[in-house]
Amino acid sequence: MNRFRTSSGGRIDRTASLGFTFDGQSYRGYQGDTLASALLANGVHLVGRSFKYHRPRGIVTAGSEEPNALVDIRRDAARVAPNLRATQVELYSGLNALSQNRWPSLNFDVGAANDILGKFFSAGFYYKTFMWPRSAWEKLYEPIIRRAAGLGHSPTLPDPDRYAQIFAHCEVLVVGSGPAGLAAALAASEDPSQRVILCDEQSEMGGSLLHESEAVVDGHTAPIQAMHMLHELRSRPNVTLLPRTTAFGFYPHNLLGLAERVTEHLANPPGHLPRERMWQVRAGRVVFATGSIERPLVFPGNDRPGVMMAEAARQYAVRYGVLPGHRAVIVTAGDSAYRAALDLKARGVTIAAIADLRAAPDGPYVQKAREAGIAIHPGTAVSATSGRLRIRSATLVREGQQTGETLECDCLLMSGGFTPTISLFSQSRGKMRWDETIEAYIPADSVEQERSAGACRGVFDLAGALADGHAAGGGGASPYRVEEMPVGHGAFRGATFHAGDPRKVKAFVDFQNDVTAKDVRLATQEGFRSIEHVKRYTTTGMATDQGRLSNINALAIVSKELKRPETAIGLTTFRPPYSPTTFGNFAGIARGPLFDPVRTTPIHGWAVEHGAKFEDVGIWKRAHFFPRGGEDIHAAVARECRAVRTSVGMFDASTLGKIEVVGPDAAEFVDRLYTNPFKKLAVGSLRYGVMLREDGFVMDDGVIARIAEDRFHITTTTGGAPRVLNHMEDYLQTEWPHLDVWLTSTTEEWAVIAVQGPDARRVIEPLVDGVDLSKEAMPHMTWREGRIAGVPMRLWRVSFTGELGFEINVPASEGRKVWEAVHQAGQSFAITPYGTETMHVLRAEKGYIIVGQETDGTAVPDDVGLTWAVAKKKHDFVGMRSLARPALSASGRKQMVGLLTLEPQTVLEEGAQVVDHMNDPAAPASIPALGHVTSSYRSETLGRSIALALVRNGRARIGETVDIPMPGGRIAATIVDPVFHDKANERLNA
């Protein structure tokens, strides 16, 4: 069926033929193929165009390190996945793939003109161009750059698929299912009490065992041995196998992120399954068995379609039954390419020659190649290649010579040795060391509970990898009997010798980012010495490649240019994700309405039914105001304010954070966290509390009730509840673990109804049982337990409006019932529901602060008029020592004051700057500003505008005139006391 398919062999299912398309052309492959192997089987090497020069590019590797074969996979208009590696895309019937970064077609790409103009696009050209004229940047340069940037096309329609997330724990997590990984998982799972998870990014587990053609393990061929090992693992109930699962990130304390592709390989995914699944795994120990990546050679023309890694060609031939070409030239620095040559020759590929960079290659595989009649050219490199859309020939040249031999070929296989895959180890903050034997970095000192095994730490032979994995899994002496031929550790790094002009030839170091050897040299000539700076100047090792193919060669070139060892130049940072991971995987179910979940109170439905307009406060929906008869917000708020000041209003305060602090040491704990004293607070009493950060700045505030000697009911700001609970847990667990205290979030357990106004007592009195509401029996800042409308309650006498007030705390399930009962009881008093805007106006009239509005993270209690709330005789509380710092009590600090505009109806803008007064309203703003407006409203009670502000030395400036510069000119205002209404608190204590 395919002209580059072997007649037999491979791990594909030749009875299951699958049709697919690539750039609209129909092809056929088999079940078990990847898109890359199926394209190669059909003779398709040209799969894309390079990022910058738009040069023709082909398949280079067989794994996730593939830099060129990036494709769009389209199931329908909404299911478009760009930038997928063809080497990882499993073939299914009807698969529709498109190449990227070309126009109008892959064979004829207008962008290839960039290759002709390549001398103008050298490394860092974007730092030196587009500088003039400045006006052209926004209208010309930036639009062109944005259109040219990126590969593929992002989908424009919403993703209709589902993404799942799961949290898991295990004693041992093994990443990679090659020989070392399988051996580690088997050894670790011998103990049935140890939960073991084994994950691998490939669809079939087994790693290099799947394409090992000669080695024998325990009397079995390598693929059969892999099958037996996997069968044993599947039989163990304490083992979880996760194929198609990439470990993309290592995070503190052995937390790893795994991305599982659940249905991407299916032609018709069942609707009940997610497309992908994110695993967040906390492991006691981690074993990295991530293998190694074959290193490219840097020679002129090394990027043409048909140029491929030798081990990848071997893998395609043995595992997929696909030949990379019919006539191959091989260039190598080690024996592994000879093994590939023999496997390919055995399957019908003509090996035109092996060019070996070494002067005197020798070894078992080299000898076998000679015996097979393969021409070997020692001390030889590739000096040039030809072919536009696919390689046609390679010119070989001996070191020191200017002319060489040109050989026809349709594929060129290269091998510069193997580089251990240390990305995840690097993410774990482990330290690497340079190994001169394999010419690469390997893991050295660990920070986390992890261990590397096999090729990822430089152990390349099969027997060694199995033994290393067995030991990493907790086993002793290796139980595996291995018969294999030694391959050796030949390697090369940097640019190879050639007969061309180094200033003109294009020998690519980074295929994905179009970085050549001369680009890297240019970076050193420009003065860059650190590899991190060279990386950013040239873009080598950036984007999805992250240097897996290019790092070592780039390091070697810089090292040679600077005449310094690689270890002195540094190593680029490997960052998560290890390979591209979809946004859907990270988002999971958190999209659409669940992206920002809406929290509503038990009374929300009633507010909706009564026409409330809502605002978002933190993650809550709160009634903003209740318009009547076409009122706008100003009219509605004015009416609500009048009602509260003259009769009675009711407000849903259920969103306030609530935390129950319980235990023998509860009073001590609360006393240490708040500035006020709480040890002697009587049961049945309330106290306003201020919470500081360690640096002495106001963090939160709220009212605290002592329920019993060992129990406190603490309220927090609506948005501060999670932060405060975390703060409490942090101190309880790390600073005061000896305190016998339990913390419980009860925010959603209580509905809170604030009844405020002169008639508040008369409204609720008929509904309350078991509580004397008189002024004498229940004064301000006390609470009582009783029943209201037959529902158990905690009744607080507290006010955030400055009026006589009660807050009714009832179980959330009874919240609406009690709300409706209070509303009905208040009809004879014209009770008025009010929203958050009215609450803001009323509290500002009383000079009450809102944390986060009157505070900005740099305010201490004295700045916002809360000196009275800081205990003078307490031994200690969080932030106490910081308050003693001179800077926090020095003159010149901003202090909260009131502002009254000279024009009473002018309402200032919140956030506006406050500056010194000038007689000329059009005068420019003076610098620096004195402060800023924190809150500003029209007060219905006062019949004018009011504002609160933080002003430098504000209390000393009371009576002065200041200006608030606005686009229409300066607005003059007088600094006044921040309490605008009922300074004697007569109404509060009624």
Side-chain angles (χ1 to χ4, degrees):
M1 180 178 69
N2 306 130
R3 58 195 181 100
F4 286 89
R5 184 80 72 175
T6 60
S7 58
S8 61
R11 303 183 65 78
I12 56 173
D13 183 357
R14 295 177 184 261
T15 66
S17 176
L18 305 174
F20 71 99
T21 62
F22 178 66
D23 279 350
Q25 179 70 41
S26 296
Y27 300 98
R28 301 201 70 80
Y30 291 115
Q31 188 74 40
D33 266 325
T34 64
L35 175 59
S37 67
L39 288 171
L40 290 172
N42 285 276
V44 179
H45 272 262
L46 175 63
V47 292
R49 293 281 178 159
S50 69
F51 173 65
K52 184 163 67 174
Y53 299 123
H54 285 249
R55 287 169 66 93
R57 288 286 169 82
I59 298 164
V60 176
T61 73
S64 63
E65 69 273 16
E66 172 59 39
N68 292 339
L70 304 180
V71 297
D72 283 1
I73 301 297
R74 301 192 176 189
R75 290 182 182 264
D76 54 43
R79 294 177 172 88
V80 180
N83 294 321
L84 296 184
R85 288 165 167 78
T87 51
Q88 288 189 296
V89 175
E90 295 178 60
L91 200 67
Y92 56 81
S93 180
L95 183 145
N96 177 24
L98 296 173
S99 58
Q100 301 183 153
N101 204 41
R102 82 289 187 278
W103 184 84
S105 69
L106 186 57
N107 286 348
F108 178 75
D109 178 20
V110 172
N114 287 3
D115 196 24
I116 301 172
L117 302 172
K119 63 181 179 180
F120 299 109
F121 299 140
S122 60
F125 78 95
Y126 29 79
Y127 297 122
K128 303 174 183 177
T129 53
F130 314 121
M131 306 294 288
W132 182 89
R134 294 186 63 179
S135 59
W137 172 253
E138 184 176 342
K139 296 180 180 179
L140 179 63
Y141 300 146
E142 184 179 10
I144 292 175
I145 292 171
R146 288 193 179 278
R147 281 197 296 270
L151 299 171
H153 298 280
S154 298
T156 57
L157 297 178
D159 187 342
D161 293 314
R162 184 167 61 89
Y163 298 82
Q165 294 182 334
I166 187 171
F167 292 84
H169 293 79
C170 64
E171 278 65 48
V172 182
L173 170 63
V174 182
V175 180
S177 68
L182 291 175
L186 282 168
S189 60
E190 286 288 346
D191 181 351
S193 68
Q194 288 207 113
R195 295 164 294 178
V196 177
I197 296 176
L198 173 63
C199 69
D200 193 284
E201 64 184 0
Q202 295 196 38
S203 60
E204 186 178 10
M205 290 185 160
S208 62
L209 293 173
L210 301 180
H211 65 273
E212 176 54 58
S213 57
E214 293 188 353
V216 175
V217 182
D218 292 345
H220 306 294
T221 63
I224 296 298
Q225 177 66 18
M227 182 182 70
H228 287 319
M229 297 172 82
L230 285 166
H231 176 75
E232 177 61 28
L233 287 170
R234 290 190 185 98
S235 71
R236 297 181 179 180
N238 59 324
V239 176
T240 300
L241 299 181
L242 296 176
R244 301 185 180 91
T245 303
T246 301
F248 64 81
F250 195 114
Y251 303 94
H253 309 298
N254 279 26
L255 176 67
L256 279 85
L258 314 179
E260 180 186 7
R261 304 182 301 278
V262 180
T263 61
E264 292 281 40
H265 61 292
L266 302 177
N268 298 294
H272 69 282
L273 289 178
R275 182 173 177 176
E276 296 182 16
R277 182 181 290 117
M278 170 83 77
W279 292 73
Q280 296 183 56
V281 180
R282 183 80 68 181
R285 292 190 296 123
V286 178
V287 177
F288 294 133
T290 49
S292 59
I293 295 172
E294 194 165 21
R295 191 181 307 158
L297 291 171
V298 181
F299 56 83
N302 64 338
D303 68 322
R304 297 188 192 279
V307 179
M308 182 183 295
M309 306 308 302
E311 189 67 13
R314 176 172 178 251
Q315 185 171 339
Y316 284 121
V318 177
R319 182 172 173 180
Y320 298 102
V322 172
L323 304 179
H326 292 307
R327 182 178 175 84
V329 170
I330 297 177
V331 57
T332 183
D335 291 1
S336 64
Y338 288 84
R339 180 176 58 183
L342 292 168
D343 278 335
L344 291 169
K345 182 176 175 62
R347 288 161 177 77
V349 177
T350 298
I351 307 299
I354 298 179
D356 199 316
L357 296 172
R358 299 171 296 180
D362 191 21
Y365 280 106
V366 177
Q367 187 58 37
K368 286 189 70 173
R370 288 195 180 102
E371 294 170 358
I374 298 175
I376 299 174
H377 299 256
T380 302
V382 175
S383 184
T385 62
S386 70
R388 190 173 73 87
L389 301 181
R390 181 166 180 174
I391 191 169
R392 292 202 310 265
S393 69
T395 300
L396 307 184
V397 62
R398 290 184 67 87
E399 188 169 11
Q401 297 183 358
Q402 295 300 308
T403 60
E405 180 183 4
T406 298
L407 301 177
E408 291 186 356
C409 61
D410 60 357
C411 65
L412 193 161
L413 311 180
M414 57 182 170
S415 177
F418 291 85
T419 302
T421 303
I422 58 174
S423 301
L424 290 174
F425 175 80
S426 175
Q427 291 177 24
S428 74
R429 297 175 296 131
K431 302 299 182 183
M432 282 77 69
R433 69 173 177 85
W434 179 261
D435 189 319
E436 192 60 39
T437 303
I438 63 173
E439 303 187 37
Y441 280 98
I442 61 173
D445 302 325
S446 296
V447 173
E448 300 280 5
Q449 293 296 315
E450 54 74 30
R451 179 170 173 177
S452 299
C456 70
R457 77 177 195 98
V459 180
F460 295 125
D461 63 293
L462 180 55
L466 287 166
D468 206 32
H470 183 73
S478 174
Y480 302 101
R481 294 176 291 105
V482 181
E483 301 170 31
E484 62 176 329
M485 189 180 297
V487 180
H489 303 296
F492 183 88
R493 62 188 191 272
T496 64
F497 54 87
H498 57 81
D501 184 346
R503 298 170 299 175
K504 295 182 180 180
V505 300
K506 287 180 178 174
F508 286 88
V509 175
D510 188 319
F511 299 110
Q512 189 168 97
N513 295 298
D514 267 350
V515 180
T516 64
K518 65 180 180 181
D519 289 330
V520 178
R521 294 191 192 99
L522 176 62
T524 64
Q525 294 166 15
E526 295 276 6
F528 295 100
R529 297 294 181 263
S530 165
I531 193 62
E532 287 284 8
H533 295 158
V534 171
K535 170 183 174 178
R536 281 154 181 79
Y537 188 72
T538 65
T539 71
T540 184
M542 294 183 71
T544 61
D545 177 76
Q546 290 204 48
R548 279 176 280 177
L549 289 177
S550 62
N551 255 356
I552 298 299
N553 285 326
L555 277 171
I557 294 171
V558 174
S559 173
K560 182 178 180 181
E561 290 296 310
L562 299 180
K563 297 180 174 57
R564 298 170 63 195
E566 281 92 338
T567 52
I569 298 167
L571 182 65
T572 58
T573 302
F574 297 97
R575 296 180 174 88
Y578 168 74
S579 59
T581 305
T582 63
F583 286 111
N585 229 332
F586 287 107
I589 63 171
R591 57 180 181 159
L594 296 180
F595 176 73
D596 189 11
V598 175
R599 294 179 75 178
T600 58
T601 73
I603 302 158
H604 179 82
W606 188 94
V608 171
E609 294 166 11
H610 287 75
K613 301 298 181 182
F614 292 89
E615 68 168 341
D616 296 322
V617 180
I619 57 176
W620 291 90
K621 286 287 185 187
R622 301 193 71 178
H624 194 197
F625 60 99
F626 289 81
R628 293 180 183 173
E631 289 177 327
D632 62 12
I633 184 173
H634 304 294
V637 169
R639 173 180 49 79
E640 292 170 7
C641 287
R642 284 195 304 272
V644 175
R645 292 292 185 219
T646 60
S647 180
V648 64
M650 58 190 304
F651 174 70
D652 182 4
S654 304
T655 63
L656 289 174
K658 307 169 199 71
I659 301 169
E660 204 91 350
V661 179
V662 182
D665 296 322
E668 177 69 27
F669 180 75
V670 175
D671 200 63
R672 294 183 184 185
L673 281 172
Y674 286 87
T675 62
N676 324 52
F678 282 92
K679 289 182 182 179
K680 296 182 180 180
L681 182 66
V683 175
S685 295
L686 304 173
R687 181 162 291 164
Y688 173 76
V690 179
M691 177 178 283
L692 306 183
R693 302 193 311 239
E694 289 180 346
D695 55 12
F697 298 126
V698 176
M699 173 182 175
D700 202 82
D701 69 346
V703 176
I704 299 170
R706 190 160 196 172
I707 307 301
E709 289 297 325
D710 62 350
R711 183 182 298 265
F712 289 81
H713 178 145
I714 293 177
T715 66
T716 75
T717 56
T718 293
R723 180 175 64 250
V724 171
L725 182 60
N726 182 72
H727 183 71
M728 289 181 170
E729 287 283 8
D730 184 27
Y731 272 88
L732 182 60
Q733 295 182 32
T734 64
E735 301 297 327
W736 310 318
H738 58 282
L739 294 184
D740 196 358
V741 174
W742 296 269
L743 306 175
T744 305
S745 172
T746 58
T747 298
E748 293 183 326
E749 302 303 313
W750 295 97
V752 182
I753 303 164
V755 183
Q756 306 279 307
D759 294 324
R761 183 182 288 114
R762 286 188 286 172
V763 169
I764 67 171
E765 204 162 26
L767 301 174
V768 173
D769 293 323
V771 179
D772 183 350
L773 300 182
S774 67
K775 175 181 177 180
E776 295 72 24
M778 190 176 181
H780 182 59
M781 297 303 283
T782 59
W783 77 275
R784 301 291 183 264
E785 202 162 46
R787 303 181 77 87
I788 185 167
V791 176
M793 70 165 176
R794 290 176 180 173
L795 182 63
W796 294 19
R797 180 159 175 203
V798 66
S799 173
F800 198 47
T801 63
E803 298 295 330
L804 167 66
F806 296 89
E807 287 187 1
I808 305 165
N809 293 262
V810 294
S813 59
E814 303 288 345
R816 177 160 180 169
K817 171 186 173 181
V818 174
W819 174 276
E820 290 177 339
V822 173
H823 186 255
Q824 181 61 38
Q827 291 305 302
S828 58
F829 300 93
I831 193 168
T832 301
Y834 65 92
T836 55
E837 187 65 18
T838 294
M839 177 267 291
H840 279 286
V841 175
L842 297 175
R843 65 90 196 172
E845 290 174 348
K846 285 293 293 178
Y848 297 155
I849 73 163
I850 290 182
V851 172
Q853 191 156 336
E854 270 62 56
T855 67
D856 60 0
T858 65
V860 297
D862 181 67
D863 296 340
V864 288
L866 295 178
T867 304
W868 60 268
V870 179
K872 303 299 187 293
K873 297 181 181 180
K874 284 177 68 169
H875 173 68
D876 196 13
F877 56 81
V878 175
M880 181 177 179
R881 282 173 290 177
S882 295
L883 290 181
R885 290 182 295 172
L888 298 192
S889 58
S891 62
R893 291 191 60 81
K894 294 178 182 178
Q895 298 168 337
M896 189 179 80
V897 294
L899 292 179
L900 292 177
T901 56
L902 300 190
E903 170 49 56
Q905 301 310 312
T906 299
V907 179
L908 299 174
E909 287 192 20
E910 292 179 353
Q913 298 297 300
V914 178
V915 300
D916 286 318
H917 176 64
M918 297 186 72
N919 292 325
D920 181 5
S926 52
I927 298 175
L930 299 175
H932 67 280
V933 178
T934 60
S935 299
S936 179
Y937 311 97
R938 186 190 183 281
S939 167
E940 180 68 12
T941 305
L942 276 66
R944 59 156 302 133
S945 67
I946 62 171
L948 299 175
L950 285 174
V951 175
R952 191 186 320 136
N953 291 327
R955 289 193 287 270
R957 291 175 178 265
I958 288 179
E960 292 184 11
T961 301
V962 291
D963 287 345
I964 295 83
M966 297 302 296
R970 289 171 172 251
I971 299 173
T974 302
I975 297 179
V976 298
D977 187 272
V979 180
F980 298 96
H981 176 65
D982 188 25
K983 294 184 180 183
N985 288 328
E986 294 176 356
R987 302 172 68 87
L988 186 74
N989 293 305

